[in-house]
Amino acid sequence: MFAKEVYVRRRAELVRKMVAAGQKGILLFVGNVEAPAQYKDNCYKWRQDSSWLYYFGLDDPQYAATIDLEDGSETVFANDVEIGDIIWMGPQPSVASKAESVGVATSAPYAALDAVVAKAISQGRPVHFLPPSRYFNTMKLSALVPGGSPSEAFIKAVISMRLVKEACEIEALDDAGALGQEMHTVARNAIRPGIVEQEIVGLMEGVTLAKGWGVSFPTILTQHGETLHNHLHDKIVEPGKLMVIDAGAESNLHYASDYTRTYPTSGRFTTKQREVYQIVYDCNELAFSLTRPGVTYREVHLAVARKMLEGLSALGLVRGDLDEMTARGIAGLFQPHGLGHNMGLDVHDMEDLGEDLVGYDPDQKRASQLGLGSLRMARRLVPGHVITDEPGIYFIPALIEKWKSEGIGTDCVNFARLKDYYDFGGIRLEDDVLVTPDGARRLGPARLPIAPDDIENVMA
Amino acid sequence: MFAKEVYVRRRAELVRKMVAAGQKGILLFVGNVEAPAQYKDNCYKWRQDSSWLYYFGLDDPQYAATIDLEDGSETVFANDVEIGDIIWMGPQPSVASKAESVGVATSAPYAALDAVVAKAISQGRPVHFLPPSRYFNTMKLSALVPGGSPSEAFIKAVISMRLVKEACEIEALDDAGALGQEMHTVARNAIRPGIVEQEIVGLMEGVTLAKGWGVSFPTILTQHGETLHNHLHDKIVEPGKLMVIDAGAESNLHYASDYTRTYPTSGRFTTKQREVYQIVYDCNELAFSLTRPGVTYREVHLAVARKMLEGLSALGLVRGDLDEMTARGIAGLFQPHGLGHNMGLDVHDMEDLGEDLVGYDPDQKRASQLGLGSLRMARRLVPGHVITDEPGIYFIPALIEKWKSEGIGTDCVNFARLKDYYDFGGIRLEDDVLVTPDGARRLGPARLPIAPDDIENVMA
């Protein structure tokens, strides 16, 4: 948890923004409850709601809070432990003292929330709440505010604050970066033909559990990199393949890291692999070099798409005017995802608040093109934005066949030559980047090896 | 997954039981969906519903099924993947082929379930379903069967089958035992003053992630063993303490193990620690020696309580007639939990189906006494039952003070001497046990060291 002042300041700023936008009524925060994995008492590892963490910091289940926009009063709702709980959970600080530790003077039992919200509704006062990210919260909010819907003013105020990271958050993100890099280093050192993918996953997840909360998202580790989110790890590592590892750590403070590297399972790239790798590497470098305040990440995405098409042209896989192919979205056949996303307390930061509201400026519209249409972060960059830089090239037989059969890009895509790549897999290279006043810097203590020669050297 | 025949046989047996009990209508199975940890696309590790796994085996999200008790027809409901899904998830076998792999001939899209259930309801046919274990399932079942409640006949039929493990399940439980023992061995070897508890947790969880699904429940690893379910691991290991490690593995087939050991952090017990440890060890051994078909586990729990009081008498912590103190539940002050629980696909097997229906025979009633009242498994044992044997002695200052202030047990509890144990912590020792035709055997390949001398030897 950060210092009390951090939470006091954030809540004051939130209220200021809401009032400035002409909003009245109360802000309603519903924290998470435990999430059952099997039965109600056997739950997944406890994870608090991120917006709750941002404004209230208290990392315990079944907390809620209200902030009155008119008189500024704040109340935390949660239950103190009883003797039965003490036997199972040990002595606990009181709810009042926990609330006080984040600067909230008033607390009440969890059940008291119902009457407070009901009273506001009966008085015709707006009850602002955020979109629920879990099924319990969906049910709870339906019960508290029947027929209600999330407050766009509230969502926008929260996004505007969480998008721009404070110094204490950047420090936390660097720590998560260090842990994520440690995971990747352990994984890279474990790659050898004959090992089962799952064994590598266990090793790297053990690292982040030992020092952090765990993984910031389910680990992707696959010799089928053309499958973007592959969570099966039952394959034996084979020689001559490419292994995509997309994984990150969540620190004990709940900040994320998210790195992708692609390794030759035999320690050296084949010529064909290196050719494609070099293109993705160049794209990653280009994106970083373009990242600075004032530029939109949409522009960076498109510059990367152009660079990628340039490289693919050199391999004879596409041909045509680069600007025209970029505009037509031909790169989407090879990279059907966006260049990156915001990152913070969530690895796709605030995705529960709405991808477009988070990732797009009011004057930007999401495209429908494959690839660009999946871009989660298009905004004009400002210092404090934290984003990922993750170009990739994939040869997805089902997608290529679809384009071919539907006649898409037949004038510029060399479908005949692409046949030779149907068993290639995919390559993705991802770093986490902070936008600084004069450019950008990569998060974490150092950079994971990424240049093709460096990869071969560290795997030698 | 087991062989197709296993699932075909189980479903046939289930239908036979329901029909024999005079039941009509349809059985409705709703499998799990992904459980968001943060936003909807960042989920906890996928875990299927256990009863679904038992009868249908298919380990994928958003599956449901119906079985018609009258004509015996079976249908699996799930959605085939589309091109967008293939990009992210790779090519997938069809739902029809997956259903066929567990012997179900008919399949339909997930959304078709609504009409099938609605039709049965409109015809006045009973729709039998099990209690939901997750919030999504609660919502889904409310929508499918408005105002409905779980079917006791269905629950009882499932319990009667899942309670008695088949040969293939016992093999899977032995495998989970092996993995759980490996976790514990790694943890034991890592204990040393100065290490942070969380580092040990990371090491041991890495082991089970490398070869199994993960942990069968959130790991308990604490120098405050008197707190029964302590999931904080932020303490530095101190010399001279007792470290309780209660942890288990869930195998890739989703069977559980659950072991507890208590280690002296400095490698050797103090005299005081060894005295209490010896009592708990004797209780664990006694429980195993009494475990055999025909005996109720309630009787075993009470025999252990008596043994515990005998040992505590020798230490001068209680005094009085052992039978009388046992009957009065005095042991509950030291062991406020039951001796064990059923284990299988869930670590507390089928707890979502109702603790009493699972753990108590129709002629047994749950006690209200502290300790015995928390006994999750009281049944008369039959071959194939899998249970835990986990006595413990804890010195919980808040609980002792409560008894003292309320005048409970003042004639037999030596409250004055107990003061010397307020900083002792707790000791628990747990094995997983299969009831066999002629007695019992412990699951897993060997037994984790447990005798006090053995503990000191392996830690030397």
Side-chain angles (χ1 to χ4, degrees), chain A residues 220-233:
Chain A
I220 297 165
L221 185 148
T222 178
Q223 297 163 88
H224 284 280
E226 78 280 10
T227 300
L228 302 188
H229 281 180
N230 194 333
H231 297 305
L232 282 177
H233 309 124

Side-chain angles (χ1 to χ4, degrees), chain A residues 267-310:
Chain A
R268 294 188 69 83
F269 295 104
T270 65
T271 303
K272 196 173 177 184
Q273 289 169 346
R274 186 183 262 262
E275 286 168 350
V276 179
Y277 189 98
Q278 185 69 45
I279 302 172
V280 181
Y281 173 53
D282 291 342
C283 289
N284 175 292
E285 293 280 313
L286 176 69
F288 181 71
S289 72
L290 296 175
T291 298
R292 61 177 178 273
V295 174
T296 69
Y297 213 49
R298 184 179 190 281
E299 290 162 352
V300 182
H301 172 100
L302 289 169
V304 164
R306 191 182 189 286
K307 182 84 182 169
M308 192 174 286
L309 291 166
E310 186 183 334

Side-chain angles (χ1 to χ4, degrees), chain B residues 97-177:
Chain B
S97 69
K98 286 190 179 181
E100 210 284 316
S101 74
V102 293
V104 178
T106 310
S107 63
Y110 190 76
L113 177 66
D114 298 15
V116 169
V117 174
K119 184 176 171 198
I121 292 172
S122 76
Q123 293 171 333
R125 302 181 70 200
V127 177
H128 301 270
F129 60 89
L130 299 172
S133 56
R134 290 189 178 182
Y135 297 112
F136 169 85
N137 301 53
T138 300
M139 293 197 297
K140 182 74 187 167
L141 285 166
S142 302
L144 284 170
V145 192
S149 59
S151 158
E152 190 161 312
F154 191 8
I155 293 170
K156 285 180 173 169
V158 171
I159 289 173
S160 70
M161 294 180 66
R162 285 182 56 191
L163 261 187
V164 181
K165 272 64 182 178
E166 304 169 353
C168 61
E169 295 186 278
I170 292 165
E171 197 180 319
L173 285 159
D174 273 324
D175 288 346

Side-chain angles (χ1 to χ4, degrees), chain B residues 199-394:
Chain B
E199 293 182 57
I200 306 176
V201 174
L203 283 171
M204 67 193 298
E205 297 198 355
V207 168
T208 181
L209 288 163
K211 297 186 187 165
W213 180 81
V215 291
S216 55
F217 59 97
T219 296
I220 296 165
L221 185 147
T222 178
Q223 297 163 89
H224 284 281
E226 77 281 9
T227 299
L228 301 188
H229 282 182
N230 193 333
H231 298 305
L232 283 176
H233 308 124
D234 57 346
K235 304 287 186 303
I236 293 171
V237 174
E238 290 173 30
K241 292 273 192 181
L242 289 170
M243 165 78 83
V244 172
I245 304 182
D246 185 350
E250 179 169 321
S251 70
N252 282 325
L253 284 172
H254 303 295
Y255 282 81
S257 61
D258 181 3
Y259 294 106
T260 309
R261 288 293 183 270
T262 304
Y263 300 104
T265 56
S266 298
R268 296 188 68 83
F269 295 105
T270 64
T271 303
K272 197 173 174 183
Q273 288 169 345
R274 185 182 262 261
E275 286 168 349
V276 178
Y277 188 98
Q278 185 69 45
I279 302 172
V280 180
Y281 173 52
D282 291 343
C283 288
N284 175 292
E285 293 280 311
L286 176 69
F288 181 71
S289 73
L290 296 175
T291 297
R292 61 176 179 273
V295 174
T296 69
Y297 214 49
R298 184 180 188 279
E299 290 163 350
V300 180
H301 172 100
L302 289 170
V304 163
R306 191 182 187 285
K307 183 82 180 171
M308 192 174 284
L309 290 167
E310 188 184 332
L312 293 166
S313 294
L315 294 184
L317 294 173
V318 297
R319 72 166 161 263
D321 180 76
L322 292 178
D323 292 327
E324 193 204 316
M325 287 195 291
T326 303
R328 285 171 58 195
I330 300 299
L333 177 61
F334 304 94
Q335 184 195 288
H337 63 71
L339 179 62
H341 50 79
N342 290 286
M343 195 181 74
L345 281 162
D346 307 309
V347 64
H348 290 176
D349 213 20
M350 299 176 276
E351 192 157 295
D352 51 338
L353 302 185
E355 260 188 59
D356 287 3
L357 287 172
V358 173
Y360 287 73
D361 288 321
D363 63 344
Q364 291 179 319
K365 272 230 152 47
R366 186 184 280 250
S368 60
Q369 267 175 6
L370 188 65
L372 185 59
S374 292
L375 182 62
R376 287 189 164 90
M377 168 57 172
R379 282 181 183 265
R380 193 168 300 279
L381 302 174
V382 301
H385 278 165
V386 168
I387 51 185
T388 62
D389 165 10
E390 50 175 314
I393 292 180
Y394 317 90

Side-chain angles (χ1 to χ4, degrees), chain B residues 18-35:
Chain B
M18 290 294 287
V19 170
Q23 300 297 324
K24 292 177 181 297
I26 63 170
L27 303 182
L28 167 62
F29 294 82
V30 178
N32 285 341
V33 298
E34 298 271 14

Side-chain angles (χ1 to χ4, degrees), chain A residues 32-47 50 83 86-91 132-136 138-139 198-199 202-203 205-206 208-213 216-218 226-230 250 252 336-337 345-348 351-352 370 374 376 396 398-399 402, chain B residues 32-47 50 83 86-91 132-136 138-139 198-199 202-203 205-206 208-213 216-218 226-230 250 252 336-337 345-348 351-352 370 374 376 396 398-399 402:
Chain A
N32 285 342
V33 298
E34 299 270 13
Q38 299 175 332
Y39 45 88
K40 293 267 188 297
D41 273 353
N42 195 12
C43 291
Y44 283 114
K45 190 165 184 172
W46 162 244
R47 178 55 158 83
S50 295
I83 180 68
I86 291 173
I87 293 174
W88 295 92
M89 299 157 54
S133 56
R134 290 189 177 181
Y135 297 110
F136 170 84
T138 301
M139 293 199 296
Q198 184 177 357
E199 293 183 58
L203 282 172
E205 297 198 355
T208 181
L209 288 164
K211 296 185 190 168
W213 181 81
S216 56
F217 59 99
E226 78 280 10
T227 300
L228 302 188
H229 281 180
N230 194 333
E250 178 170 320
N252 282 326
H337 63 71
L345 281 163
D346 307 310
V347 63
H348 291 175
E351 193 158 295
D352 50 338
L370 190 64
S374 292
R376 289 189 162 91
I396 308 170
L399 180 61
K402 181 172 184 278
Chain B
N32 285 341
V33 298
E34 298 271 14
Q38 298 173 332
Y39 45 89
K40 293 270 188 294
D41 273 353
N42 194 12
C43 291
Y44 283 113
K45 189 163 185 175
W46 162 245
R47 177 54 159 85
S50 295
I83 178 71
I86 291 173
I87 293 174
W88 295 92
M89 298 155 52
S133 56
R134 290 189 178 182
Y135 297 112
F136 169 85
T138 300
M139 293 197 297
Q198 184 178 356
E199 293 182 57
L203 283 171
E205 297 198 355
T208 181
L209 288 163
K211 297 186 187 165
W213 180 81
S216 55
F217 59 97
E226 77 281 9
T227 299
L228 301 188
H229 282 182
N230 193 333
E250 179 169 321
N252 282 325
H337 63 71
L345 281 162
D346 307 309
V347 64
H348 290 176
E351 192 157 295
D352 51 338
L370 188 65
S374 292
R376 287 189 164 90
I396 308 169
L399 180 60
K402 180 172 185 280

